[in-house]
Every structure is written in C-alpha cells, then in structure tokens.
C-alpha cells in the first residue's frame, strides 16, 4: 500500500532499531560466557529487563537472566535476583505477563537441575504478591442495576413519529461510542492494565507454578532424607526458602493438597522416614523447626476447613529443644516455633503444658541470655493459660495435689504426655533468679512469685521472638564505656554505649604509614627474638644437662679404674 514519506521514515527507523537491538542482545548473550565480560553483560541485560520489560525480545532477556540466577558468581547471582525481584514488584510495567513467564522458567530450571541450585533461585518467589479479592469490586451489584423506566410504550410511539431526528442521534451515539472505545483501548495500552479476567488467569497460572515448585522440592527432600545415601548437609539447599514461601502463601494453598503437605512436613520434622530408623538425621535443627512452623501456619490459615492432628509436631518440638545448640542453630527460628506452637495455640493439655514448662525451665539454664529469655517468656504464657500447672511452683515434691496419672517425672521421655512433669517442681527458677543478666533474673523472680490460685495477667505480653531479638541486639551493641561518654550529656544505657562505641571508632588524626610499619616491624622482631632466645635457652639447658651427665660418667669411670687397680696391687703383694 502507498504510504507517506513520514510513515516510511518511521517504519525504517523502527525496523532499524529492532534489528540493532536484536543484534545487541545476541552479542550480550554471547559475552555472558566470556569470563572477562560476564559481569558487564549481565548488568546490561538486567538493566534492560528492569527498564523495558514490555519491549520486544523480552523472552530472550528473561531466559538469560533466569539461567544465571543460580550462578556460582556472587555478583552475577545478585544482579539476576535483583532483576527478577524488580520484575515481580513492578508489574505495572508489563501487566503481569512477564511474572508468570519468569515463574514458569524458574520452575523448569529447578526441575532440570533436580533441586540442586542456590537458594536465591526460589528466594525471589517471596517478592510475589497475590490478590485474593481480584475482581470483587468489579462485580455488578444487583442493587445498582438500572431499572427500566415506565412509559416505554409512549416513548416508542414518540420515536416512531420522529424517525429522521433519531437517525441523526443514532449516528452521533455510534460515533461517540467508537471514540470512547478507542480512548479506553489507548488508555489500557499506555497503563499496561489487563482486564480482570486476564489478570485472574495469569495469577492462577503463576500460583500453580509456584506451588508445583515448592511441592517438588519437598518430595525431593523427603526422598533424599529417607535414602541411606543422604549426605549430612548440602543435599537440599532449596528447602529453607521453600519452607519460608509455604509459610507466607499458606492461605492460598488448595485444600486438596493439605493432607499430602502435612504428611511431608511431618516426615521432614522427624528428620527421616517414620517407618525407618536412621542412624543420623540429615536435616538441621532449624530446618526441622521450620517444618513444624509451616504446619502450624497452614493449620491456622485453614482452621475452619481442616481437622488435622498436630500432636506429632508437638512431640518433635519437645525433642528438638534438647538438640538445639546456640552457635550452630538459629535462635530466631526456635523463638518463632515457641511463639506459634505454644503461645498462640488454643488447645493446651495440662500434661503437655507442664512438660513444656519443665523442659523450657531446664533449657533456660543451659544457654545464653537471649535463648533463656525467649524460653521464660513462653513458660510464662503457659503458666498464665494453665492455672493447674502453677502447682509446679510449690516447694513440696509431687507438684502439689495434681500429680496426674504418672507419679514420677521422666525427664528423658520423648512424649510430653508421658513425661509426668506434674510430679516435679520448678527448682530451676531458684537458679535463674541469680542469673547474671538482670532481665532474665527479673523474669524468673516474677514467675516464681505467681499466685497459684488466682488467674493473673500482670506480665507484659512480649512474644518470644521479640524477647530473643531484644537481648541479641543488646549483646551485639554492648561496648565498654570510654571517656568520651562522660563528655556527652546523655544518660547511661544502651544508647550511651552505642554512641560511645561510634565516637571511639572515629579517629580524625592522620596515620603515618611508615611509622606504623616501623612499630609493627619492631614488635614482630621483638617477638621473634624472644622465641629465638627461648629456643637457645632450651638448647643451652640441654647441653648443660648433657655435660653434667658426661662429668658424672667420667667420675664413675675413674672410680671404677681406681678400684680395679687397687685390687690388682693387692693380688701382686
């Protein structure tokens, strides 16, 4: 067709731009495999994907970024993860279409590599956002429907008498409707807002791909843990972000998959297959605690539709508390498990609550102040909700008048319902009152002074996570006070410790590098001389000892010769 010169010029410009842009992307994709240009090429690809996700060849851009999202290079992996997260959070640029495509590519990537990828690969799923009430506000309200007006017959009769005028109105109305449709289409193309039906379809596909990836990781982890060839670490790198994602999107899981999900979480919480007795658990304490947390979050999100017995998870928590180690495991995960499973649980059996009270009191004696504070806060919540368990605070043996069906306390029982904790007393509180940290000692004193008969709620409602974080941050920020704190007019406390540490760390005086090198060389020379002197002294002592032994040997040999000569002279005479 014949077009004007301006249109030809615009088409030539657009075709040249697209061909050049395609060649540029092909060049960048080739440079990704060159080590010296890898960082630059990945940065350019991620910047293009972030700036113009609606432009042409975005599928090829997204494919390269997803393939490098689990790279061993930290810089490449961080750039790709940031680009994917920006894609998920800024859906207005592409209307949500690229979000579903990215999730499907990541799901295929996880499947192709058999779940042996870096955790950042699925960590980006946490940046997704799903809307449950999508399209609710756009549904037609039956109350707001336009009612037909009366006198329609009369109106039709009048219209029949005015046909020429109605033709003009009809043509004008059709023209206005066409203009309105064109304006709405242009607005949608500029705003990148698809209709509600399309958005709902894309969100459903994205959500199904996310949960398919999560369930694949769970099944792979269960198979790996149950097998005898499982290595103790590194065989399930995607489990931790998978559990965090399940906890975040637990309210969106289909009820048909709930039983299978709880079954897999139960097996992972045990650390091995419940039908087999494995000699060693390949899952860490933090991962097993996270499985218990996810199970309770799923149960809490679908409380009306589920009827699942979570007693096995309580048993696992009761046993995992003994396996916790501060330097190895994450205290935040343990505090979150105590909060969700014990503090927020509605059903509290007396035997189970007493067993956890006793175990948490013992746990508080063994570890640091942050863990002890989280355990004491949980212990306080349990005693507040279970009045009969306060008999453990009495001094007589047997826990008062409600010792329960088990007359003796079994501290090594694996089931909290069979431990017989009501037959014991909380003697640990007497030791915790003398704790070195004032917050722990104050909390222990308040718990020991709780009334046994009346229901009291005079303690502050602090969660175990908040208590753990407060003491952890306090220990990290605590620095010894210096003279600079005296010059400031602030009160003593953690704030003064922080300001003193900051002021002492800032030094505006210039440092002479030559003088520093000379001092360091003199220092190390002195240390070397001291070590050399010690070595020479030891050799000297060894030589003196050898000479002393040689002198003794000569004396003994001389005495032997003199006695021998005397015997010979005696025989001759």
């Amino acid at each position: 067709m014949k077009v004007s010169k301006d249109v030809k010029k615009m088409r030539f410009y657009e075709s040249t731009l697209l061909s050049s842009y395609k060649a540029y992307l092909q060049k960048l994709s080739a440079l990704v495999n060159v080590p010296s240009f890898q960082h630059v090429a990945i940065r350019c690809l991620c910047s293009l994907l972030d700036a113009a996700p609606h432009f042409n060849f975005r599928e090829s851009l997204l494919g390269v970024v997803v393939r490098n999202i689990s790279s061993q290079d930290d810089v490449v992996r961080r750039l790709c993860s940031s680009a994917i997260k920006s894609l998920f959070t800024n859906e207005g640029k592409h209307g949500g279409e690229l979000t579903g495509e990215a999730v499907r590519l990541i799901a295929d990537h996880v499947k192709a590599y058999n779940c042996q990828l870096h955790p950042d690969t699925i960590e980006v799923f946490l940046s997704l956002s799903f809307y449950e009430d999508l399209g609710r506000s756009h549904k037609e309200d039956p109350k707001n429907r336009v009612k037909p007006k009366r006198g329609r017959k009369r109106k039709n009769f009048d219209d029949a008498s005015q046909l020429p005028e109605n033709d003009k109105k009809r043509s004008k109305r059709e023209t206005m409707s066409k203009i309105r449709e064109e304006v709405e289409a242009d607005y949608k193309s500029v705003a990148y807002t698809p209709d509600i039906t399309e958005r709902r379809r894309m969100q459903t596909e994205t959500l199904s791909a996310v949960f398919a990836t999560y369930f694949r990781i769970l099944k792979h982890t269960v198979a790996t843990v149950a097998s005898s060839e499982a290595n103790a670490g590194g065989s399930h790198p995607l489990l931790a972000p998978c559990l965090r994602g399940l906890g975040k999107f637990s309210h969106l899981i289909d009820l048909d998959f709930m039983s299978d999900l709880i079954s897999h979480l139960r097996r992972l919480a045990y650390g091995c297959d419940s039908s087999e007795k494995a000699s060693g658990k390949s899952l860490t304490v933090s991962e097993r605690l996270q499985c218990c947390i996810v199970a309770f979050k799923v149960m809490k999100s679908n409380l009306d539709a589920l009827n699942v017995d979570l007693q096995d998870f309580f048993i696992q928590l009761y046993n995992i508390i003994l396996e916790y180690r501060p330097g190895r495991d994450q205290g935040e995960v343990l505090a979150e498990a105590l909060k969700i499973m014990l503090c927020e649980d509605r059903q509290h059996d007396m035997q189970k609550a007493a067993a956890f009270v006793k175990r948490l009191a013992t746990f508080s004696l063994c570890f640091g102040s942050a863990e002890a504070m989280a355990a004491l806060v949980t212990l306080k919540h349990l005693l507040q909700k279970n009045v009969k368990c306060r008999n453990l605070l009495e001094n007589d043996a047997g826990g008062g008048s409600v010792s329960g069906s088990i007359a003796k306390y079994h501290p090594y029982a694996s089931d909290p319902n069979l431990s017989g904790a009501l037959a014991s007393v909380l003697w640990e509180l007497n030791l915790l009152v003398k704790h070195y940290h004032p917050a722990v000692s104050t909390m222990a004193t308040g718990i020991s002074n709780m009334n046994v008969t009346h229901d009291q709620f005079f303690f502050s409602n602090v969660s175990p996570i908040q208590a753990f974080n407060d003491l952890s941050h306090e220990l990290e920020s605590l620095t010894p006070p210096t003279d600079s704190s005296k010059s400031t007019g602030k009160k003593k406390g953690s704030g003064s410790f922080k300001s003193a540490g900051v002021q002492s760390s800032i030094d505006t005086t210039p440092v002479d590098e030559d003088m520093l090198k000379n001092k360091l060389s003199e220092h190390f020379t002195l240390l070397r001389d001291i070590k050399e002197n010690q070595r020479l002294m030891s050799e000297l002592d060894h030589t003196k000892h050898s000479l002393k032994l040689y002198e003794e040997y000569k004396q003994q040999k001389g005495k032997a010769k003199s006695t021998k000569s005397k015997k010979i002279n005696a025989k001759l005479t």
Side-chain angles (χ1 to χ4, degrees):
M1 57 182 297
K2 294 182 179 180
V3 294
S4 62
K5 293 183 179 180
D6 294 336
V7 174
K8 287 183 179 180
K9 185 177 180 181
M10 181 61 67
R11 289 182 178 178
F12 177 74
Y13 168 75
E14 291 177 352
S15 61
T16 307
L17 174 63
L18 289 179
S19 60
S20 303
Y21 185 63
K22 182 179 180 180
Y24 176 62
L25 292 182
Q26 292 176 352
K27 186 65 175 178
L28 288 178
S29 302
L31 291 176
V32 168
N33 300 322
V34 181
S36 57
F37 294 98
Q38 186 180 21
H39 290 178
V40 179
I42 289 293
R43 186 177 289 107
C44 293
L45 291 170
C46 294
S47 300
L48 287 173
L49 185 62
D50 187 19
H54 58 281
F55 200 62
N56 297 52
F57 310 113
R58 59 182 185 178
E59 290 81 7
S60 59
L61 267 175
L62 186 60
V64 177
V65 173
V66 170
R67 283 196 300 270
N68 291 274
I69 199 173
S70 59
S71 175
Q72 297 180 356
D73 195 332
D74 296 337
V75 178
V76 174
R77 188 174 62 252
R78 185 171 62 253
L79 289 172
C80 295
S81 300
S82 301
I84 297 297
K85 290 179 181 178
S86 176
L87 203 68
F88 291 162
T89 54
N90 301 319
E91 290 188 348
K93 293 182 178 180
H94 52 85
E97 296 180 1
L98 215 56
T99 299
E101 184 66 24
V103 171
R104 285 191 293 271
L105 288 177
I106 293 175
D108 296 339
H109 194 57
V110 171
K111 182 180 179 180
Y113 283 86
N114 198 18
C115 303
Q116 298 300 315
L117 296 171
H118 195 273
D120 290 347
T121 306
I122 64 169
E123 189 81 28
V124 296
F125 286 169
L126 298 177
S127 301
L128 290 169
S129 57
F130 299 99
Y131 304 97
E132 294 181 272
D133 55 349
L134 190 63
R136 289 182 182 176
S137 60
H138 298 272
K139 291 181 180 179
E140 186 179 1
D141 193 357
K143 297 181 180 180
N144 297 330
R145 290 179 179 175
V146 179
K147 296 181 180 180
K149 295 182 179 181
R150 295 180 180 178
R152 182 173 296 176
K153 294 182 179 180
R154 184 178 180 181
K155 185 177 180 181
N156 294 336
F157 179 75
D158 295 340
D159 292 343
S161 62
Q162 297 178 357
L163 289 177
E165 186 177 357
N166 284 336
D167 290 337
K168 294 180 181 179
K169 289 183 178 180
R170 189 181 299 108
S171 62
K172 185 177 180 180
R173 192 183 305 113
E174 291 176 356
T175 305
M176 293 298 296
S177 63
K178 289 181 180 179
I179 295 175
R180 190 177 293 109
E181 290 176 358
E182 292 178 358
V183 171
E184 289 178 357
D186 293 340
Y187 176 76
K188 286 184 178 181
S189 62
V190 173
Y192 307 108
T193 54
D195 56 350
I196 299 302
T197 306
E198 185 67 18
R199 288 189 62 187
R200 190 185 296 112
R201 183 191 63 80
M202 291 188 297
Q203 179 171 290
T204 304
E205 293 178 356
T206 302
L207 192 61
S208 62
V210 169
F211 283 124
T213 305
Y214 284 158
F215 292 153
R216 178 176 288 107
I217 294 170
L218 285 180
K219 291 181 181 179
H220 177 267
T221 306
V222 169
T224 305
V225 173
S227 63
S228 59
E229 299 178 357
N231 298 323
S235 57
H236 36 266
L238 300 181
L239 179 62
C242 170
L243 293 175
R244 287 195 293 271
L246 287 173
K248 181 178 180 180
F249 305 122
S250 59
H251 60 286
L252 299 173
I253 302 176
D254 194 353
L255 295 177
D256 298 335
F257 303 102
M258 287 296 179
S259 58
D260 294 337
L261 176 61
I262 296 296
S263 176
H264 282 82
L265 292 174
R266 184 181 290 110
R267 295 176 64 182
L268 291 177
Y270 275 91
C272 60
D273 195 350
S274 58
S275 62
E276 300 177 1
K277 294 183 179 179
S279 59
K281 296 179 175 62
S282 61
L283 290 182
T284 63
V285 170
S286 301
E287 290 171 343
R288 295 167 62 197
L289 285 172
Q290 195 70 33
C291 292
C292 299
I293 292 171
V294 171
F296 271 78
K297 284 184 177 180
V298 171
M299 184 66 183
K300 185 177 179 181
S301 302
N302 304 275
L303 192 59
D304 299 332
L306 289 180
N307 187 14
V308 181
D309 185 14
L310 300 176
Q311 182 62 29
D312 294 338
F313 295 98
F314 282 110
I315 295 174
Q316 286 307 308
L317 176 63
Y318 187 73
N319 296 320
I320 289 173
I321 291 176
L322 296 179
E323 302 176 15
Y324 175 81
R325 297 295 179 269
R328 181 193 63 187
D329 304 318
Q330 300 176 7
E332 296 86 355
V333 179
L334 177 62
E336 185 180 2
L338 295 177
K339 174 181 178 292
I340 294 177
M341 299 180 65
L342 297 180
C343 296
E344 297 180 356
D345 186 33
R346 297 180 180 179
Q347 300 177 357
H348 291 280
D349 182 71
M350 186 174 61
Q351 293 283 352
K352 181 180 68 176
F356 275 103
V357 165
K358 184 66 177 177
R359 179 144 293 185
L360 289 174
T362 308
F363 175 82
S364 303
L365 292 173
C366 304
F367 300 110
S369 57
E371 290 86 356
M373 194 65 183
L376 288 178
V377 168
T378 309
L379 189 151
K380 179 254 299 182
H381 279 282
L382 292 175
L383 290 180
Q384 284 179 349
K385 294 179 180 179
N386 299 271
V387 182
K388 294 182 179 180
C389 292
R390 298 180 194 173
N391 290 275
L392 297 174
L393 299 173
E394 295 183 355
N395 294 326
D396 57 333
S401 59
V402 285
S403 59
S405 59
I406 304 174
K408 184 180 180 181
Y409 175 54
H410 301 283
Y412 297 106
S414 59
D415 192 346
N417 295 315
L418 303 177
S419 63
L422 288 172
S424 64
V425 292
L426 290 177
W427 56 266
E428 294 89 352
L429 293 176
N430 293 328
L431 297 178
L432 290 171
V433 168
K434 303 176 183 179
H435 198 273
Y436 68 91
H437 200 283
V440 178
S441 61
T442 304
M443 178 62 72
T445 303
I447 294 174
S448 351
N449 296 330
M450 289 181 68
N451 198 336
V452 179
T453 57
H454 300 288
D455 198 6
Q456 298 176 348
F457 293 93
F458 51 84
F459 288 109
S460 59
N461 295 323
V462 181
S463 65
I465 301 177
Q466 183 179 355
F468 178 85
N469 292 332
D470 290 343
L471 266 70
S472 299
H473 296 331
E474 180 182 349
L475 293 176
E476 290 177 0
S477 61
L478 188 62
T479 54
T482 57
D483 295 336
S484 60
S485 62
K486 298 179 181 179
S487 60
T488 58
K490 296 182 180 180
K491 296 180 181 180
K492 293 183 179 180
S494 61
S496 61
F497 286 140
K498 290 181 181 179
S499 61
V502 172
Q503 291 177 3
S504 60
S505 62
I506 299 175
D507 190 7
T508 57
T509 58
V511 179
D512 190 358
E513 295 183 359
D514 296 334
M515 183 179 66
L516 184 61
K517 288 180 181 179
N518 293 332
K519 287 185 178 181
L520 290 174
S521 62
E522 291 175 0
H523 174 72
F524 288 113
T525 303
L526 181 61
L527 291 177
R528 185 182 59 191
D529 293 342
I530 291 173
K531 291 183 179 180
E532 186 68 20
N533 291 334
Q534 291 177 353
R535 187 182 65 81
L536 293 175
M537 289 296 293
S538 62
E539 291 181 358
L540 181 61
D541 294 339
H542 181 71
T543 305
K544 287 181 179 180
H545 184 65
S546 300
L547 292 174
K548 185 177 180 180
L549 292 176
Y550 181 72
E551 292 293 336
E552 292 178 356
Y553 171 74
K554 287 179 65 177
Q555 291 178 2
Q556 291 178 0
K557 191 174 181 180
K559 290 179 180 180
K561 285 183 178 181
S562 61
T563 54
K564 187 176 181 180
S565 59
K566 287 180 180 179
K567 289 180 180 180
I568 293 174
N569 293 331
K571 288 181 180 181
L572 291 175
T573 55

